[in-house]
Amino acid sequence: MKIGILGNGQLGQMLADSVTDLTDLEIRLYDLRAHSDDALETFIAGVDLLGYETENIPAHIVAKLEAHADKLFPSLTALKTFQNRLLEKNALRAAGIQTADFCAVNSLEDVHNAVETLGLPIVLKTTTEGYDGKGQYVLRQPEDAEPAWEAIGNRELIAEAFVTFSRETSVIASRDRNGNLVVWPMTENVHHEGILRYSLFPADGLSADKAEQAERYIRQLADSLDYVGTITLELFDTDSGLVANEVAPRVHNSGHWSIEGAEASQFRNHILAMAGKALEPTTARYPAVAMLNVIGDETPAVKAESTANAHRHSYGKEARPARKLGHVTVVADSVAERDQTITELSELMPSGVWPPQAH
Ligand code: AMP
């Protein structure tokens, strides 16, 4: 069976790498940056199933997928829903999942109205193409409305009430074609300047109630869309439970730890789900695991090669500031051992990012 993935970045590569032992599956990657209509049609004609490593697929390419919706997993509906923050928030609410209050913003007047309805502060975001904190503006006072609209507006935006959270977490699941769902243990995720720097399993002190809430949420969401594949739900950890921030209809950076850290990785189960095969267990293989991103410069990652309980992944990309070039997975027999190894590798992070703030 030939499976085509739109996008040939590190996610596509790790999807392909996850099933090299399954000789009945062949994974092909399509370079979205070298797109032409002919190249896409040829690519699609040559595969049995079609997937994507990113939801940031330009509208003119998504339009081409309409005619091939029957071989697209996750579905065209899922792709379109999670490409747009307004549709995404509506889908979350429809599935019974707690989110920040929000409203659509299409003009400067709407920004003022949002301030009235939601109160300050509010987070203004572009509805499409925003990632790693790009296309966002936090309004703290009514006078911020105009500069905010100037900076990211003149297009459709969403205004969200500001959520006060103690930390960010995510939950990742895979759902197969028969509706069976497997969920990985949650991680705590620490960002710096809008970019994920590291993820920790277990998330320190996460209550059983919140873990159950996360599992319930992702099941409700995946079931509501008859979703097939791996799906990620990013959640704010707040005093009043978990609040959904955003969804990725795909494998996610906060799940890279699962390659070495879990029985089956998020990549492998994504492909298995697409292919109509049975999903594999998601249980952690170690008591404690961490994933550290390698960003902008790979030099500090070299040390991980001589660190006994660390695994270095290099994506073979040219170095550029703020670019994800690889990641390091730390596996450990205890949280203390995990944290000691992270401290040894902490040159990978800007100062002050490790250890996480107490919560
Ligand atoms: P996003 O691209 O939606 O994941 O947002 C990037 C980051 O902005 C998140 O990881 C949060 O740290 C922060 N953020 C986003 N939305 C909100 C919100 N409604 N309230 C508070 N912080 C937010």
Side-chain angles (χ1 to χ4, degrees):
M1 188 185 298
K2 296 184 182 65
I3 300 180
I5 301 290
L6 302 179
N8 65 345
Q10 66 265 23
L11 299 181
Q13 197 55 58
M14 288 188 274
L15 284 166
D17 292 347
S18 73
V19 288
T20 46
D21 59 317
L22 303 178
T23 47
D24 57 326
L25 299 182
E26 182 190 332
I27 313 295
R28 296 183 181 178
L29 305 180
Y30 177 78
D31 183 355
L32 282 164
R33 288 158 307 181
H35 168 76
S36 73
D37 288 351
D38 284 350
L40 182 66
E41 288 306 331
T42 307
F43 182 79
I44 295 175
V47 296
D48 304 298
L49 299 170
L50 192 60
Y52 42 91
E53 66 159 9
T54 171
E55 63 279 22
N56 280 321
I57 298 175
H60 68 275
I61 298 184
V62 176
K64 298 275 177 209
L65 302 180
E66 300 272 355
H68 307 285
D70 55 329
K71 46 170 145 170
L72 189 69
F73 296 94
S75 71
L76 197 57
T77 307
L79 174 61
K80 287 181 175 177
T81 303
F82 300 124
Q83 272 194 326
N84 180 298
R85 290 183 189 274
L86 273 171
L87 300 179
E88 176 175 278
K89 283 277 189 306
N90 285 328
L92 285 164
R93 286 285 179 98
I97 296 168
Q98 189 178 198
T99 71
D101 286 335
F102 64 95
C103 61
V105 165
N106 286 295
S107 64
L108 178 57
E109 197 188 343
D110 286 351
V111 184
H112 291 299
N113 291 338
V115 172
E116 282 288 303
T117 352
L118 303 173
L120 286 167
I122 60 174
V123 186
L124 213 54
K125 304 176 181 177
T126 56
T127 52
T128 57
E129 289 159 13
Y131 62 94
D132 289 347
K134 295 187 180 77
Q136 298 202 13
Y137 202 107
V138 180
L139 273 79
R140 302 195 180 275
Q141 45 193 15
E143 300 79 62
D144 292 340
E146 209 164 329
W149 179 251
E150 284 306 313
I152 61 165
N154 295 304
R155 59 186 287 180
E156 187 185 54
L157 304 177
I158 179 173
E160 295 177 15
F162 194 89
V163 178
T164 303
F165 55 85
S166 57
R167 62 172 165 188
E168 298 187 60
T169 65
S170 58
V171 61
I172 303 179
S174 289
R175 189 174 180 275
D176 73 14
R177 294 200 196 183
N178 299 319
N180 299 306
L181 185 113
V182 290
V183 187
W184 281 268
M186 289 175 75
T187 57
E188 170 174 352
N189 305 322
V190 175
H191 300 81
H192 177 74
E193 294 176 350
I195 301 175
L196 180 67
R197 297 307 306 216
Y198 60 93
S199 295
L200 302 174
F201 158 74
D204 180 38
L206 186 84
S207 69
D209 277 359
K210 284 183 176 168
E212 266 168 39
Q213 187 188 13
E215 193 162 331
R216 199 168 62 242
Y217 275 177
I218 200 148
R219 189 179 297 276
Q220 285 166 203
L221 182 65
D223 284 351
S224 72
L225 292 162
D226 196 15
Y227 189 93
V228 174
T230 296
I231 183 166
T232 307
L233 179 58
E234 292 186 61
L235 298 155
F236 297 129
D237 189 356
T238 82
D239 290 346
S240 52
L242 299 171
V243 177
N245 175 30
E246 64 174 352
V247 182
R250 55 171 166 82
V251 291
H252 191 260
N253 198 171
S254 65
H256 291 2
W257 68 275
S258 62
I259 296 175
E260 292 89 5
E263 292 295 334
S265 76
Q266 59 166 353
F267 302 98
R268 186 172 173 91
N269 272 341
H270 187 68
I271 298 292
L272 294 178
M274 285 182 74
K277 292 178 181 277
L279 301 177
E280 295 181 3
T282 49
T283 28
R285 300 175 66 204
Y286 302 87
V289 186
M291 188 288 310
L292 318 180
N293 265 339
V294 180
I295 294 179
D297 175 17
E298 289 199 89
T299 321
V302 174
K303 191 174 177 187
E305 284 173 18
S306 51
T307 305
N309 57 337
H311 300 266
R312 180 185 175 196
H313 295 249
S314 173
Y315 306 151
K317 298 200 301 195
E318 205 179 300
R320 241 190 270 139
R323 192 174 202 201
K324 289 176 184 169
L325 303 174
H327 73 267
V328 171
T329 307
V330 173
V331 297
D333 290 331
S334 69
V335 167
E337 183 195 339
R338 178 197 72 188
D339 291 357
Q340 173 60 34
T341 307
I342 300 174
T343 302
E344 285 164 22
L345 296 171
S346 60
E347 276 167 50
L348 281 166
M349 291 174 270
S351 65
V353 174
W354 171 260
Q357 292 178 346
H359 36 73

